[in-house]
Amino acid sequence: MNSVSTRNAVYVGSFDPPTLGHFDIISRGSRLFQRLTVGIGINPDKRPLFSPEERVDLVKQIASGLPNVDVVCFEGLTVNFAKARDAAVLLRGVRTVSDIELEFTMALTNHVLTPELETVFLMASEKYSHISSSLIKQIAQMGQDQAATSLRDFVPPCVIQPLLEKVRRPKTS
Ligand code: ADP
């Protein structure tokens, strides 16, 4: 018997930026598990728009009404992060068949690394299944006024201004 708890789950990702689709998974996950930790992955191979600290801050704002949700950033393997958070469940969201292909490979790999960690998938809600962080970055590059209006359908309100700022002055580090 392992010591990690099935009442605790981690939901990991880039969240660059966090979207309404991410928030939907976070709020549904918070109802399924006693404690849900959102893990913002630090990936040295990617050049994110937002720093890990900025993403933590944005997700904290988004999840501020959900008392059983923690938000932290982490480096290294997801399986080690889950263990550190005493979580037996890795929560993921799936939108499309192509998501499933990637997620399946990842879940199998994680299962080999840590058999006691179960991956649980939530299907994206119909109204958010088209939303991705990369698409949002493209929308943000439209004219500022048009982007500000359009983004309301894709990201929580607190993300809009920081995102428009970033696109205006892309991060150099
Ligand atoms: P990653 O780099 O791990 O793909 P993302 O931030 O893009 O990080 O996604 C994190 C998790 O959220 C993944 O499980 C992804 O499938 C899920 N996800 C992303 N967008 C949505 C959405 N619109 N609806 C539901 N789940 C989503």
Side-chain angles (χ1 to χ4, degrees):
M1 190 62 198
N2 56 71
S3 63
V4 291
S5 173
T6 50
R7 291 168 303 178
N8 298 338
V10 292
Y11 175 43
V12 303
S14 310
F15 305 99
D16 187 42
T19 71
L20 288 174
H22 291 133
F23 176 62
D24 183 53
I25 299 292
I26 293 169
S27 53
R28 287 160 64 196
S30 76
R31 293 197 291 271
L32 291 174
F33 301 99
Q34 202 162 348
R35 180 140 298 277
L36 178 68
T37 304
V38 180
I40 316 266
I42 301 175
N43 183 346
D45 299 331
K46 282 189 184 171
R47 262 176 66 95
L49 195 57
F50 289 93
S51 71
E53 296 73 22
E54 288 168 330
R55 283 176 276 158
V56 166
D57 183 54
L58 288 173
V59 179
K60 275 188 176 167
Q61 288 183 54
I62 292 164
S64 62
L66 304 169
N68 62 336
V69 174
D70 295 322
V71 188
V72 295
C73 51
F74 75 99
E75 239 174 320
L77 293 177
T78 297
V79 290
N80 292 341
F81 175 65
K83 218 176 283 175
R85 300 301 299 193
D86 187 32
V89 177
L90 170 60
L91 182 66
R92 299 287 290 176
V94 286
R95 290 160 292 189
T96 56
V97 173
S98 57
D99 263 1
I100 291 173
E101 264 175 11
L102 281 172
E103 294 288 343
F104 191 57
T105 309
M106 222 174 340
L108 288 176
T109 307
N110 285 335
H111 190 72
V112 172
L113 292 171
T114 306
E116 61 271 25
L117 180 68
E118 290 291 350
T119 303
V120 169
F121 296 103
L122 288 182
M123 275 178 63
S125 299
E126 202 183 359
K127 59 183 175 198
Y128 302 129
S129 64
H130 58 289
I131 297 180
S132 69
S133 296
S134 49
L135 174 76
I136 283 164
K137 285 181 228 175
Q138 289 177 28
I139 296 170
Q141 282 163 8
M142 302 187 312
Q144 291 280 309
D145 289 347
Q146 195 189 351
T149 308
S150 304
L151 283 170
R152 285 189 217 141
D153 292 329
F154 296 87
V155 295
C158 66
V159 175
I160 295 177
Q161 274 315 314
L163 177 57
L164 293 175
E165 288 282 318
K166 282 284 175 193
V167 172
R168 226 175 287 156
R169 281 184 287 107
K171 199 165 177 260
T172 48
S173 60

